[in-house]
Amino acid sequence: MMALTVALSLASLMLVGSATAQEKQEPKPIVKGNPHPTTEYDTTILTTMPPMPLLPEYSGKGAKLVNALTYPNLKHGKCYTVRMNLIEAQPVVHDWYLHALYGSGWKIKDDQLDQSTIVARHTKERASCTIVVQQSATPGFKTEVMIRYMDQSR
C-alpha cells in the first residue's frame, strides 16, 4: 500500500511539473503573409550609388559600382554599404580618401588607421564612415573600395 501511495505521489508530481512547464511556454504568434517579419536591419539592394552628401565623391577615373545596399528600416538615420572597383592603385586611392576626408570636416580615428582602412566621424554632423581600400581581383581594375556610411543627422 505504501509503495502504491509513493508511486501515485511521484506520478502526480510529474504531472504538475509537466503542466507548469507547459504553462510557462509562450504561444507562438501566427504570422499571416510574410513569414519573416521585417526588422530595422533588413537590407535592400541598390542599383545606383546612394546619396552620401557628407562624404567626398571619389574624383579618380574609371570608378565602377560593384554593389550597394541600404537599411531602409533603420530607426535612427541612414546607412549604406557600397563596393566599387577603381583603376588607380590602392595607395593612391587610400591617400585620396584620407586627404579628402580631412579636408571636408571629418576626424580620422588614428588608432584605427592603417594601409587599407580609414575610420572617420564627421566633426559637425552625426555621420561616420569606414572605408576599406584593397587590391581588386577584378581584371582591368587595381583597387576595390568598400564604404560603410552612417548618417544619423538626416
Side-chain angles (χ1 to χ4, degrees):
M1 179 75 167
M2 179 137 169
L4 182 59
T5 305
V6 171
L8 288 175
S9 296
L10 286 174
S12 58
L13 279 175
M14 290 173 65
L15 286 174
V16 169
S18 167
T20 306
Q22 288 176 354
E23 290 170 6
K24 289 181 181 177
Q25 289 180 354
E26 295 186 24
K28 293 181 181 179
I30 298 172
V31 179
K32 293 182 181 178
N34 183 359
H36 307 287
T38 59
T39 72
E40 73 175 299
Y41 303 108
D42 288 346
T43 58
T44 299
I45 296 172
L46 303 172
T47 57
T48 60
M49 188 68 106
M52 298 181 282
L54 300 171
L55 192 68
E57 186 176 339
Y58 185 71
S59 63
K61 307 181 262 182
K64 180 182 178 197
L65 180 68
V66 175
N67 57 37
L69 58 89
T70 184
Y71 300 82
N73 302 322
L74 278 182
K75 293 178 179 148
H76 305 288
K78 301 207 179 271
C79 183
Y80 302 105
T81 301
V82 173
R83 282 184 46 225
M84 300 183 298
N85 278 321
L86 306 167
I87 60 172
E88 290 85 11
Q90 187 267 346
V92 172
V93 175
H94 183 275
D95 288 349
W96 184 92
Y97 272 108
L98 188 60
H99 292 96
L101 289 169
Y102 271 130
S104 57
W106 291 81
K107 172 142 178 51
I108 309 300
K109 293 186 175 184
D110 293 329
D111 62 328
Q112 295 179 341
L113 176 65
D114 62 27
Q115 297 286 329
S116 63
T117 305
I118 303 168
V119 178
R121 179 166 293 286
H122 200 275
T123 55
K124 295 180 181 166
E125 301 288 336
R126 294 180 58 210
S128 61
C129 70
T130 300
I131 301 173
V132 179
V133 183
Q134 56 193 12
Q135 281 190 311
S136 176
T138 305
F141 296 95
K142 294 180 182 174
T143 304
E144 180 180 280
V145 175
M146 189 281 301
I147 300 171
R148 174 77 157 218
Y149 177 83
M150 178 75 176
D151 188 349
Q152 293 179 316
S153 62
R154 310 265 174 232

